[in-house]
Amino acid sequence: MDKFAAVEQALRTAPPHALLGVVTEAFTEHYGAEKVELRLADYGMHSLQAVESVPFVTEPVLIHNSPQGRAFGAQEPVVTNGLADRSVDVHLPVTIRGDRMGVLSARLPEDGYRQALVPEMQHICEALGHEILVAERDTDLYVLARRAARLTLAAEMQWQLLPGHSCSRPEFSLGAHLEPAYAIFGDNYDWSASADHLTLTVSNGMGQGIDAALLTNLAVNAMRNARRAGLDLAGQATLADQAVYAQYQGRAHVSVLLLRFNLSTGDLEAVDAGSPRLWRLRDGTVDPISFDEQLPLGMFEDTVYAAQHFTVRPGDRLLFGSDGVYDAASPVGERYGERALARSLTGTRLLPPTQVPGAVLRELAGYHGETPLDDDALVVCLDWNGQPDGD
């Protein structure tokens, strides 16, 4: 049997907690690996945490100051001299459908390493990533590795809602990040891609803690239910509005921006029901995109929503931000969204969309000063590529 097929078969049949052991055995047998280590990115996207049976035994490594972090950020293998004599360390990104999960590192003897082996090892990492996604249904091992600190219960509930940090298709590539990662106030994002459409929502629920998490869970699941029932964008907003109002009778509401992209044409439907905002970078110029403001979900009974339309072009970059981003104030009182956000979007134009949210939020932290953010800060970045044939 082909060695790749044998490894993939072993991964599929291994117990959920034993995937790293399968890869370690394969790397040892085929490449003479002396050590194999799997690290996953933490929720804050600051560090890479080791996957191990007892959490927090192995020290994390920083994403922005380590060979593993370079492999994770560039999404390319990084080879360095090992700490041991006559060895090399190969750091390989573990990424599934554009969602960056972590890095697999293998220490190989110097005389056994060849550049031609790297694509083979990367192929095994891809199979490992797919199996981790499946295994997470049955074990907490990989979820535990993603946290650098204990999550609040509200944060636990919110993170279970999120689809991931990033997603890519030939037509688009997007990345998202939510800060603070370990104590949540109510911001959320969601996406789903079919053969013909990408649906993206950015939401902000009232309140904080458990109250905000419960409210956002209700709204997001109502929008998913409506989407999966085949309702159009306005219908999704209407059903979610009814669900929130039925539960809270107007005492709480959810601000949301709903968008539906036609993957063939770039036509975009939008329902603006609250506070999340959109900026567009096109040909080096940043412009805020304004829609007709409609009522947040759940504010009043029987609200009627209408979708608006415009078109995105290949090369457009769209940035979505919650009020915790554009309303954040500098020490002198200027809001981040007035001018600084446009500068940040222009300054990060060469970064891939997976890295833009983190870069914007790091700049936001410096802009805001030493005072901690008093609200969630949510950033989603989408690059529109259009159809691969260029139509």
Side-chain angles (χ1 to χ4, degrees):
M1 182 183 295
D2 177 83
K3 64 181 176 182
F4 299 132
V7 174
E8 290 175 346
Q9 177 66 19
L11 284 169
R12 283 195 295 269
T13 57
H17 64 275
L19 301 180
L20 180 56
V22 170
V23 173
T24 299
E25 182 178 343
F27 272 55
T28 302
E29 177 183 353
H30 298 301
Y31 311 116
E34 301 165 359
K35 179 182 178 182
V36 178
E37 182 179 71
L38 174 63
R39 292 178 178 270
L40 300 181
D42 85 301
Y43 290 119
M45 299 294 279
H46 301 305
S47 62
L48 293 163
Q49 309 283 131
V51 174
E52 48 197 351
S53 56
V54 180
F56 310 122
V57 172
T58 302
E59 287 291 319
V61 298
L62 296 178
I63 287 178
H64 300 290
N65 189 29
S66 66
Q68 296 94 325
R70 291 201 302 274
F72 181 82
Q75 289 295 285
E76 295 286 346
V78 171
V79 180
T80 61
N81 292 327
L83 296 178
D85 292 338
R86 303 182 63 79
S87 67
V88 296
D89 288 337
V90 184
H91 307 289
L92 303 153
V94 180
T95 303
I96 302 302
R97 301 187 187 279
D99 191 10
R100 302 180 300 164
M101 301 174 67
V103 174
L104 185 85
S105 299
R107 178 161 296 164
L108 309 181
E110 189 177 59
D111 56 4
Y113 167 76
R114 301 190 308 278
Q115 180 64 33
L117 298 177
V118 174
E120 298 181 6
M121 292 186 281
Q122 188 65 65
H123 183 87
I124 294 175
C125 287
E126 293 172 2
L128 171 63
H130 280 283
E131 293 306 317
I132 288 175
L133 289 181
V134 176
E136 285 182 334
R137 300 179 308 176
D138 303 314
T139 179
D140 287 336
L141 178 65
Y142 309 104
V143 175
L144 289 172
R146 289 191 173 94
R147 53 194 69 194
R150 181 175 177 177
L151 271 68
T152 64
L153 177 56
E156 188 87 50
M157 294 169 66
Q158 292 289 72
W159 279 103
Q160 293 301 312
L161 274 181
L162 297 177
H165 277 295
S166 49
C167 178
S168 65
R169 288 264 301 264
E171 300 89 350
F172 68 87
S173 180
L174 63 84
H177 189 57
L178 180 59
E179 186 71 30
Y182 294 91
I184 299 296
F185 292 91
D187 287 6
N188 197 268
Y189 57 85
D190 193 29
W191 58 67
S192 177
S194 67
D196 302 314
H197 295 92
L198 166 68
T199 302
L200 172 66
T201 61
V202 182
S203 55
N204 179 12
M206 280 182 60
Q208 57 184 312
I210 293 295
D211 290 339
L214 289 170
L215 175 61
T216 304
N217 266 261
L218 174 60
V220 170
N221 279 294
M223 287 185 285
R224 288 175 176 173
N225 178 257
R227 184 184 72 229
R228 293 164 183 169
L231 275 66
D232 62 15
L233 205 65
Q236 294 172 31
T238 298
L239 189 146
D241 170 71
Q242 293 170 351
V244 174
Y245 185 84
Q247 183 66 32
Y248 292 95
Q249 298 295 305
R251 298 186 305 273
H253 58 264
V254 179
S255 297
V256 63
L257 180 62
L258 299 89
L259 303 113
R260 189 168 184 258
F261 297 80
N262 185 309
L263 298 180
S264 297
T265 64
D267 290 339
L268 173 59
E269 293 179 85
V271 173
D272 182 355
S275 60
R277 303 284 178 84
L278 166 62
W279 291 261
R280 180 187 65 204
L281 175 63
R282 174 181 287 177
D283 299 329
T285 302
V286 177
D287 294 304
I289 304 299
S290 299
F291 302 103
D292 292 337
E293 296 184 7
Q294 302 177 67
L295 293 173
L297 305 182
M299 181 171 283
F300 296 104
E301 189 174 13
D302 298 328
T303 303
V304 176
Y305 293 93
Q308 295 178 257
H309 299 263
F310 75 99
T311 302
V312 289
R313 302 177 187 169
D316 281 356
R317 167 165 287 183
L318 305 180
L319 188 84
F320 309 86
S322 66
D323 56 359
V325 175
Y326 61 80
D327 273 343
S330 70
V332 297
E334 183 182 35
R335 294 196 311 165
Y336 186 69
E338 292 176 3
R339 287 180 294 182
L341 190 145
R343 292 196 300 268
S344 179
L345 186 52
T346 302
T348 57
R349 64 189 182 279
L350 299 180
L351 293 178
T354 52
Q355 296 185 34
V356 171
V360 171
L361 290 172
R362 286 192 296 275
E363 181 163 327
L364 171 65
Y367 180 88
H368 189 259
E370 297 182 359
T371 305
L373 294 172
D374 56 5
D375 194 2
D376 286 343
L378 168 61
V379 175
V380 180
C381 179
L382 184 146
D383 278 2
W384 186 257
N385 308 317
Q387 285 291 317
D389 61 8
D391 290 343

